[in-house]
Amino acid sequence: MSNISPIGSRETVAESFENRSAELQSWLVLLMENPSSDDLLLSGLRLYLDQASEGRFLNSLKLEKSGGWLGNAAPARLQIRIAEAAKSSQHPAYQAFKKGLDQSGGFERAYPKARV
């Protein structure tokens, strides 16, 4: 089986997180279904967070909603890598995204706590 190159670039992924229309969200869900496009998705997520942290206006509510949506939509194999991306900076943009990600509970669903 050959590797199929995902359609899109990290800029396209970052723009999809920024705009969050229903069509772009569907495209992101399709992108998340293909394990070979994980690096593209995470690269675009980091670009989105970097752009949000460099902007003149911080829309923390939008970042929280993006984190919550991604936490609910991402498969279990991506949850750790998304959480690492959210923790990679202490900038308020990253913190807002992480807050939404934590509130979604995606990480806990993917990796439930052990009963001791």
Side-chain angles (χ1 to χ4, degrees):
M1 193 166 149
S2 64
N3 287 339
I4 299 172
S5 173
I7 299 173
S9 64
R10 68 185 218 141
E11 289 80 13
T12 309
V13 174
E15 183 180 316
S16 298
F17 281 115
E18 179 68 30
N19 295 331
R20 291 193 50 220
S21 69
E23 181 180 313
L24 292 174
Q25 285 181 348
S26 299
W27 179 74
L28 286 172
V29 169
L30 287 174
L31 197 64
M32 286 187 271
E33 289 178 3
N34 186 1
S36 66
S37 61
D38 289 355
D39 290 333
L40 174 68
L41 180 79
L42 293 167
S43 177
L45 174 62
R46 287 190 183 98
L47 178 63
Y48 167 65
L49 292 172
D50 286 342
Q51 288 173 344
S53 66
E54 293 171 357
R56 292 181 59 179
F57 177 74
L58 179 63
N59 191 343
S60 59
L61 183 59
K62 186 175 186 178
L63 288 162
E64 281 182 37
K65 286 185 179 183
S66 292
W69 178 82
L70 189 58
N72 286 322
R77 71 173 194 282
L78 286 173
Q79 292 293 335
I80 288 178
R81 295 178 73 186
I82 293 169
E84 288 174 353
K87 292 179 189 177
S88 65
S89 176
Q90 292 183 358
H91 190 278
Y94 284 79
Q95 297 302 315
F97 181 81
K98 184 181 178 308
K99 182 179 177 184
L101 189 63
D102 291 343
Q103 289 175 347
S104 74
F107 188 81
E108 287 78 20
R109 284 191 303 277
Y111 302 100
K113 293 183 179 181
R115 297 183 187 190
V116 181

